[in-house]
PDB file of all heavy atoms in Angstrom:
ATOM      1  N   PHE T 352     -71.914 -65.151  60.719  1.00  0.00           N
ATOM      2  CA  PHE T 352     -70.475 -65.367  60.638  1.00  0.00           C
ATOM      3  C   PHE T 352     -69.982 -66.120  61.881  1.00  0.00           C
ATOM      4  O   PHE T 352     -69.233 -67.098  61.774  1.00  0.00           O
ATOM      5  CB  PHE T 352     -69.761 -64.014  60.521  1.00  0.00           C
ATOM      6  CG  PHE T 352     -68.280 -64.121  60.355  1.00  0.00           C
ATOM      7  CD1 PHE T 352     -67.721 -64.368  59.107  1.00  0.00           C
ATOM      8  CD2 PHE T 352     -67.425 -63.974  61.444  1.00  0.00           C
ATOM      9  CE1 PHE T 352     -66.339 -64.467  58.947  1.00  0.00           C
ATOM     10  CE2 PHE T 352     -66.048 -64.072  61.288  1.00  0.00           C
ATOM     11  CZ  PHE T 352     -65.513 -64.323  60.042  1.00  0.00           C
ATOM     12  N   LEU T 353     -70.439 -65.673  63.054  1.00  0.00           N
ATOM     13  CA  LEU T 353     -70.038 -66.337  64.293  1.00  0.00           C
ATOM     14  C   LEU T 353     -70.618 -67.747  64.377  1.00  0.00           C
ATOM     15  O   LEU T 353     -69.979 -68.657  64.917  1.00  0.00           O
ATOM     16  CB  LEU T 353     -70.477 -65.506  65.502  1.00  0.00           C
ATOM     17  CG  LEU T 353     -69.782 -64.152  65.669  1.00  0.00           C
ATOM     18  CD1 LEU T 353     -70.332 -63.420  66.887  1.00  0.00           C
ATOM     19  CD2 LEU T 353     -68.269 -64.321  65.798  1.00  0.00           C
ATOM     20  N   TYR T 354     -71.830 -67.918  63.844  1.00  0.00           N
ATOM     21  CA  TYR T 354     -72.433 -69.254  63.840  1.00  0.00           C
ATOM     22  C   TYR T 354     -71.583 -70.230  63.032  1.00  0.00           C
ATOM     23  O   TYR T 354     -71.314 -71.362  63.468  1.00  0.00           O
ATOM     24  CB  TYR T 354     -73.841 -69.203  63.259  1.00  0.00           C
ATOM     25  CG  TYR T 354     -74.379 -70.579  62.914  1.00  0.00           C
ATOM     26  CD1 TYR T 354     -74.834 -71.441  63.915  1.00  0.00           C
ATOM     27  CD2 TYR T 354     -74.377 -71.031  61.593  1.00  0.00           C
ATOM     28  CE1 TYR T 354     -75.286 -72.717  63.605  1.00  0.00           C
ATOM     29  CE2 TYR T 354     -74.829 -72.302  61.273  1.00  0.00           C
ATOM     30  CZ  TYR T 354     -75.276 -73.145  62.283  1.00  0.00           C
ATOM     31  OH  TYR T 354     -75.719 -74.410  61.967  1.00  0.00           O
ATOM     32  N   PHE T 355     -71.159 -69.796  61.834  1.00  0.00           N
ATOM     33  CA  PHE T 355     -70.336 -70.674  60.998  1.00  0.00           C
ATOM     34  C   PHE T 355     -68.979 -70.942  61.645  1.00  0.00           C
ATOM     35  O   PHE T 355     -68.419 -72.031  61.504  1.00  0.00           O
ATOM     36  CB  PHE T 355     -70.157 -70.073  59.605  1.00  0.00           C
ATOM     37  CG  PHE T 355     -71.361 -70.246  58.720  1.00  0.00           C
ATOM     38  CD1 PHE T 355     -72.096 -69.153  58.302  1.00  0.00           C
ATOM     39  CD2 PHE T 355     -71.766 -71.512  58.312  1.00  0.00           C
ATOM     40  CE1 PHE T 355     -73.211 -69.313  57.496  1.00  0.00           C
ATOM     41  CE2 PHE T 355     -72.875 -71.689  57.502  1.00  0.00           C
ATOM     42  CZ  PHE T 355     -73.602 -70.584  57.097  1.00  0.00           C
ATOM     43  N   ALA T 356     -68.453 -69.957  62.362  1.00  0.00           N
ATOM     44  CA  ALA T 356     -67.197 -70.162  63.083  1.00  0.00           C
ATOM     45  C   ALA T 356     -67.391 -71.221  64.175  1.00  0.00           C
ATOM     46  O   ALA T 356     -66.563 -72.127  64.330  1.00  0.00           O
ATOM     47  CB  ALA T 356     -66.719 -68.849  63.693  1.00  0.00           C
ATOM     48  N   TRP T 357     -68.482 -71.098  64.935  1.00  0.00           N
ATOM     49  CA  TRP T 357     -68.768 -72.064  65.987  1.00  0.00           C
ATOM     50  C   TRP T 357     -69.045 -73.447  65.407  1.00  0.00           C
ATOM     51  O   TRP T 357     -68.567 -74.461  65.935  1.00  0.00           O
ATOM     52  CB  TRP T 357     -69.968 -71.592  66.812  1.00  0.00           C
ATOM     53  CG  TRP T 357     -70.415 -72.580  67.854  1.00  0.00           C
ATOM     54  CD1 TRP T 357     -71.524 -73.356  67.834  1.00  0.00           C
ATOM     55  CD2 TRP T 357     -69.727 -72.908  69.075  1.00  0.00           C
ATOM     56  NE1 TRP T 357     -71.592 -74.149  68.959  1.00  0.00           N
ATOM     57  CE2 TRP T 357     -70.499 -73.894  69.733  1.00  0.00           C
ATOM     58  CE3 TRP T 357     -68.551 -72.457  69.655  1.00  0.00           C
ATOM     59  CZ2 TRP T 357     -70.112 -74.428  70.952  1.00  0.00           C
ATOM     60  CZ3 TRP T 357     -68.163 -73.003  70.874  1.00  0.00           C
ATOM     61  CH2 TRP T 357     -68.951 -73.970  71.504  1.00  0.00           C
ATOM     62  N   ALA T 358     -69.782 -73.480  64.304  1.00  0.00           N
ATOM     63  CA  ALA T 358     -70.073 -74.762  63.659  1.00  0.00           C
ATOM     64  C   ALA T 358     -68.782 -75.406  63.160  1.00  0.00           C
ATOM     65  O   ALA T 358     -68.616 -76.623  63.232  1.00  0.00           O
ATOM     66  CB  ALA T 358     -71.050 -74.565  62.498  1.00  0.00           C
ATOM     67  N   GLY T 359     -67.858 -74.583  62.664  1.00  0.00           N
ATOM     68  CA  GLY T 359     -66.573 -75.109  62.229  1.00  0.00           C
ATOM     69  C   GLY T 359     -65.809 -75.723  63.385  1.00  0.00           C
ATOM     70  O   GLY T 359     -65.194 -76.790  63.246  1.00  0.00           O
ATOM     71  N   TYR T 360     -65.866 -75.060  64.535  1.00  0.00           N
ATOM     72  CA  TYR T 360     -65.218 -75.590  65.739  1.00  0.00           C
ATOM     73  C   TYR T 360     -65.840 -76.933  66.136  1.00  0.00           C
ATOM     74  O   TYR T 360     -65.122 -77.892  66.462  1.00  0.00           O
ATOM     75  CB  TYR T 360     -65.358 -74.590  66.877  1.00  0.00           C
ATOM     76  CG  TYR T 360     -64.984 -75.139  68.228  1.00  0.00           C
ATOM     77  CD1 TYR T 360     -63.646 -75.375  68.560  1.00  0.00           C
ATOM     78  CD2 TYR T 360     -65.961 -75.436  69.175  1.00  0.00           C
ATOM     79  CE1 TYR T 360     -63.301 -75.893  69.802  1.00  0.00           C
ATOM     80  CE2 TYR T 360     -65.633 -75.951  70.420  1.00  0.00           C
ATOM     81  CZ  TYR T 360     -64.297 -76.181  70.727  1.00  0.00           C
ATOM     82  OH  TYR T 360     -63.970 -76.703  71.945  1.00  0.00           O
TER      83      TYR T 360
END
Side-chain angles (χ1 to χ4, degrees):
F352 183 82
L353 293 179
Y354 166 76
F355 282 114
W357 175 253
Y360 168 73

